Amino acid sequence: MSSMMYVQAIEVVGLDQQTKMVAELDGQVMRCVRDQNGNHVIQKCIECIPQDAIQFIVSTFYGQVVMLSTHPYGCRVIQRVLEHCDDSTTQQIMMDEILQSVCLLAQDQYGNYVVQHVLEHGKPHERSAIIEKLIGQIVQMSQQKFASNVIEKCLSFGNPVERQILIGEMLGSSNESEHLEVMMKDQYANYVVQKVLETCDDQQRETILTRIKAHLNTLKKYTYGKHIVARVEKLVAAGEKRLGLQPACTAA
């Protein structure tokens, strides 16, 4: 039976038949996960079949979570486990392994999707645990192609306290330069700064805009700085328009 037919069959047959079909995968799980077609079979089993019938599949991943997360097909399978296997032991093992290597995964071309998945769909304490691991490396991570997407997710899904810490780190400085200035000129980090402006509160936005305005003329000379200039000019114009409308609203 081809992988596609197998996937279609799993969706329509009864539980007894599903159990028999999935039993045929015993001893073949890792080979299937790494296969271009076989990984879809494993994903479908995780999505459609009760956990007790596929525990032998899931337990095959214990101790292999980081390796699988950095694989083009394995990263999809790990995300399905996180979505569908709510068994506390499985969830704990998965999260422990992810957290042990979260900085490595964030910078990996496939692993970053697993970290983003937890930030977006995970429990609040899981999200907080990831953000805690990344704090102290926000500026460097923002300048990395894949990790910059993870930092954007931290800003979008972190709680207000976490967001304050992340933004505080970006507003710091080293001996050489201001972090924010470096980020605004960077091909990846400039998008993180834009996400900050999108997700921060009004008070934070005011502070950041004041800092950015000091660099506007310099930023115009940089390819990636121009993105920030356009975003800032838009925000400033919107702010002025809002202020201009306030008296009319009050009078009404």
Side-chain angles (χ1 to χ4, degrees):
M1 190 186 294
S2 73
S3 297
M4 190 54 70
M5 287 173 66
Y6 204 103
V7 166
Q8 290 169 343
I10 286 170
E11 289 181 315
V12 296
V13 300
L15 180 57
D16 286 350
Q17 193 59 36
Q18 281 182 337
T19 308
K20 285 175 188 168
M21 288 173 74
V22 81
E24 293 170 18
L25 298 170
D26 204 358
Q28 308 290 321
V29 175
M30 291 302 268
R31 186 177 65 80
C32 286
V33 170
R34 293 194 189 98
D35 182 77
Q36 188 174 0
N37 300 309
N39 81 89
H40 293 291
V41 172
I42 301 296
Q43 287 187 68
K44 190 54 68 177
C45 289
I46 294 166
E47 287 171 18
C48 298
I49 301 174
Q51 286 177 63
D52 54 353
I54 58 158
Q55 187 53 39
F56 76 91
I57 291 178
V58 176
S59 59
T60 307
F61 306 148
Y62 296 172
Q64 308 287 329
V65 175
V66 174
M67 183 272 289
L68 288 169
S69 295
T70 56
H71 186 276
Y73 310 135
C75 71
R76 299 175 193 167
V77 172
I78 294 300
Q79 287 175 74
R80 295 299 84 74
V81 173
L82 291 169
E83 279 171 9
H84 297 279
C85 301
D86 54 9
D87 167 69
S88 59
T89 304
T90 296
Q91 287 286 327
Q92 188 68 54
I93 289 169
M94 293 282 151
M95 280 310 305
D96 284 350
E97 292 187 42
I98 289 167
L99 284 170
Q100 279 167 17
S101 301
V102 75
C103 294
L104 179 150
L105 291 173
Q107 296 175 81
D108 183 79
Q109 62 179 325
Y110 303 114
N112 79 90
Y113 292 115
V114 172
V115 181
Q116 286 189 62
H117 187 280
V118 178
L119 287 166
E120 192 166 345
H121 304 288
K123 300 178 186 74
H125 74 271
E126 294 169 345
R127 195 177 297 128
S128 295
I130 286 178
I131 292 172
E132 196 175 314
K133 292 274 187 183
L134 295 172
I135 285 169
Q137 303 174 72
I138 301 303
V139 179
Q140 300 96 299
M141 289 285 189
S142 296
Q143 294 173 76
Q144 203 268 346
K145 183 176 182 179
F146 306 111
S148 62
N149 296 313
V150 171
I151 303 303
E152 285 191 45
K153 280 287 194 299
C154 291
L155 289 162
S156 295
F157 295 97
N159 63 42
V161 173
E162 289 161 347
R163 200 175 295 120
Q164 178 74 53
I165 294 168
L166 296 173
I167 293 171
E169 196 171 317
M170 293 176 204
L171 291 175
S173 60
S174 64
N175 294 334
E176 297 83 38
S177 59
E178 285 185 24
H179 293 159
L180 194 63
E181 186 182 358
V182 170
M183 290 176 70
M184 289 188 293
K185 294 173 185 174
D186 185 79
Q187 61 177 324
Y188 305 117
N190 85 85
Y191 291 106
V192 176
V193 177
Q194 290 182 61
K195 183 60 73 174
V196 168
L197 290 169
E198 193 184 300
T199 55
C200 65
D201 62 35
D202 290 344
Q203 192 177 349
Q204 291 166 333
R205 190 175 293 110
E206 201 56 48
T207 304
I208 295 160
L209 285 175
T210 303
R211 294 279 285 273
I212 293 174
K213 282 176 194 172
H215 300 288
L216 277 186
N217 288 330
T218 314
L219 287 171
K220 286 174 184 174
K221 298 171 190 170
Y222 290 84
T223 307
Y224 305 107
K226 288 173 187 172
H227 299 321
I228 300 290
V229 173
R231 177 62 70 99
V232 168
E233 286 174 348
K234 202 171 174 182
L235 282 167
V236 170
E240 286 170 355
K241 188 178 177 185
R242 195 166 62 244
L243 289 169
L245 286 173
Q246 277 178 345
C249 293
T250 310

